[in-house]
């Protein structure tokens, strides 16, 4: 059961506008903005993408690059007068899988963390369950992990949005 901070989950496909929408929600709080980026730069294209995102956000954000230890980072940042935006949960799930961590157990820890926050938190994630069944085992496991995590977070979230073509659809809240 959630006790205080407002929790928002924003889902959508790739390039759907979910990050821009989430950043707008964070700005509207008027609080100090903290951005937890879960992406890892495995190649030059990803390094450029991360640099472009950092530049696009500007100096108004404090950026924390946290590919795996997400729950601990969120707990350490919780407090009044700040909003935390995590982008994105599916990259976090990928990182956990690549490190052969127990994704479901990490998800339980994350949910417990979310339930006790005082700061508003916005979680961004890719909805990956709308397409065909993936052809390989790892991709199917990834889709399943992400889907289960989304359901658990949506159950405790105050607000849930689905974004497509830059248009947010409020699903809960």
């Amino acid at each position: 059961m959630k006790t205080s901070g407002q929790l928002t989950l924003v889902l959508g496909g790739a390039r759907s506008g979910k990050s821009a929408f989430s950043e707008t929600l964070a700005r509207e709080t008027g609080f100090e903005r903290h951005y937890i980026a879960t992406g890892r730069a495995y190649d030059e294209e990803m390094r450029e993408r991360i640099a472009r995102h950092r530049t696009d956000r500007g100096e108004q954000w404090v950026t924390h690059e946290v590919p795996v230890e997400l729950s601990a980072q969120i707990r350490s940042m919780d407090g009044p007068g700040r909003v935390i935006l995590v982008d994105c949960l599916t990259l976090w799930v990928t990182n956990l899988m690549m490190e052969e961590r127990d994704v479901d157990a990490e998800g339980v820890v994350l949910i417990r963390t979310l339930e006790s926050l005082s700061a508003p938190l916005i979680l961004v994630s890719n909805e990956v369950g709308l397409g065909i069944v993936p052809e390989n085992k790892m991709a199917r496991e990834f889709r399943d992990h992400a889907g289960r995590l989304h359901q658990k977070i949506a159950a405790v979230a105050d607000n849930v949005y689905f974004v497509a073509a830059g248009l947010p659809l409020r699903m809960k809240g």
Side-chain angles (χ1 to χ4, degrees), residues 56-107:
D56 290 348
R57 280 193 304 275
E59 299 294 319
Q60 302 83 13
W61 292 87
V62 179
T63 299
H64 310 266
E65 294 182 3
V66 184
V68 175
E69 300 301 332
L70 182 59
S71 298
Q73 181 68 34
I74 291 170
R75 280 191 306 275
S76 75
M77 296 170 56
D78 189 28
R82 63 178 54 161
V83 59
I84 304 165
L85 190 155
V86 176
D87 197 353
C88 84
L89 290 176
T90 43
L91 286 174
W92 178 63
V93 167
T94 298
N95 296 336
L96 293 173
M97 290 179 72
M98 297 300 285
E99 292 195 10
E100 298 182 359
R101 305 271 290 258
D102 185 334
V103 178
D104 292 328
E106 296 281 350

Side-chain angles (χ1 to χ4, degrees), residues 47-159:
R47 278 189 283 284
E48 290 172 5
R49 183 182 291 249
I50 289 169
R52 188 172 51 253
H53 280 271
R54 194 177 297 129
T55 300
D56 290 348
R57 280 193 304 275
E59 299 294 319
Q60 302 83 13
W61 292 87
V62 179
T63 299
H64 310 266
E65 294 182 3
V66 184
V68 175
E69 300 301 332
L70 182 59
S71 298
Q73 181 68 34
I74 291 170
R75 280 191 306 275
S76 75
M77 296 170 56
D78 189 28
R82 63 178 54 161
V83 59
I84 304 165
L85 190 155
V86 176
D87 197 353
C88 84
L89 290 176
T90 43
L91 286 174
W92 178 63
V93 167
T94 298
N95 296 336
L96 293 173
M97 290 179 72
M98 297 300 285
E99 292 195 10
E100 298 182 359
R101 305 271 290 258
D102 185 334
V103 178
D104 292 328
E106 296 281 350
V108 168
V109 173
L110 179 61
I111 296 297
R112 287 184 185 142
T113 299
L114 301 178
E115 291 175 332
S116 65
L117 293 178
S118 60
L121 179 70
I122 302 165
L123 299 165
V124 179
S125 199
N126 291 291
E127 176 51 63
V128 296
L130 296 174
I132 61 171
V133 174
E135 69 178 32
N136 68 72
K137 182 178 188 262
M138 184 176 188
R140 286 188 300 274
E141 288 175 351
F142 167 77
R143 179 207 53 196
D144 293 348
H145 284 307
R148 285 191 300 268
L149 181 64
H150 293 160
Q151 288 180 57
K152 290 174 185 171
I153 292 172
V156 299
D158 301 292
N159 304 294

Side-chain angles (χ1 to χ4, degrees), residues 26-44:
R27 276 192 300 276
E28 289 174 352
T29 67
F31 295 153
E32 177 182 279
R33 291 173 286 202
H34 289 264
Y35 193 102
I36 300 177
T38 61
R40 282 187 167 153
Y42 289 109
D43 57 31
E44 186 58 32

Side-chain angles (χ1 to χ4, degrees), residues 8-12 21 25 159-163 168-171:
T8 301
L9 174 62
V10 179
L11 299 167
F21 173 70
L25 290 176
N159 304 294
V160 178
Y161 293 91
F162 184 82
V163 180
L169 171 66
R170 180 173 282 201
M171 301 174 71

